[in-house]
Amino acid sequence: MTQDDQWMQDKELENIPSFKLEFLQQMLFESKKHSGKELFPFFMSLAAKSRSQNIHFTQEELDTIVPVLKKYASEEEIKKMNQAITMFKRRST
């Protein structure tokens, strides 16, 4: 286990299916390659990919996962997460 995937072993995530955690791990790995204006198109392509793979997260799962991710993330990664969350909230309203 590397430090990058250590979050997946957090006890708070024990009820989240492993395929969802693996999808998120891939998303986190890929997101490190993008910044600023590149993030929105990247996250839109991820949304399409999750639909095509029939991967959906309930609000309860997200409410569990996001704090755990932030616990293991750097300040820059937290900033990206907050930007992504803000973008998705704006799109869904």
Side-chain angles (χ1 to χ4, degrees):
M1 176 170 61
T2 68
Q3 189 170 2
D4 285 344
D5 64 3
Q6 186 177 16
W7 68 273
M8 294 172 65
Q9 304 304 317
D10 193 288
K11 291 281 186 204
E12 293 180 50
L13 302 176
E14 63 188 14
N15 294 322
I16 308 291
S18 62
F19 73 93
K20 289 183 177 185
L21 297 177
E22 290 166 10
F23 177 82
L24 287 173
Q25 176 63 22
Q26 181 65 28
M27 178 192 81
L28 293 170
F29 178 77
E30 290 294 322
S31 72
K32 290 180 181 182
K33 299 175 185 176
H34 304 281
S35 64
K37 294 179 182 180
E38 297 173 328
L39 281 178
F40 185 73
F42 170 72
F43 285 121
M44 298 309 335
S45 70
L46 269 177
K49 183 177 179 179
S50 70
R51 282 190 300 273
S52 73
Q53 294 180 3
N54 203 26
I55 298 174
H56 303 281
F57 294 90
T58 66
Q59 188 60 50
E60 183 179 342
E61 288 173 328
L62 292 174
D63 291 344
T64 301
I65 293 168
V66 171
V68 170
L69 287 173
K70 287 182 176 183
K71 185 166 52 171
Y72 291 90
S74 68
E75 287 186 38
E76 173 139 353
E77 291 166 331
I78 292 170
K79 183 179 175 182
K80 284 182 181 182
M81 280 185 251
N82 289 336
Q83 287 176 327
I85 291 166
T86 300
M87 278 189 270
F88 283 112
K89 283 183 179 177
R90 285 185 189 154
R91 269 186 69 80
S92 63
T93 58

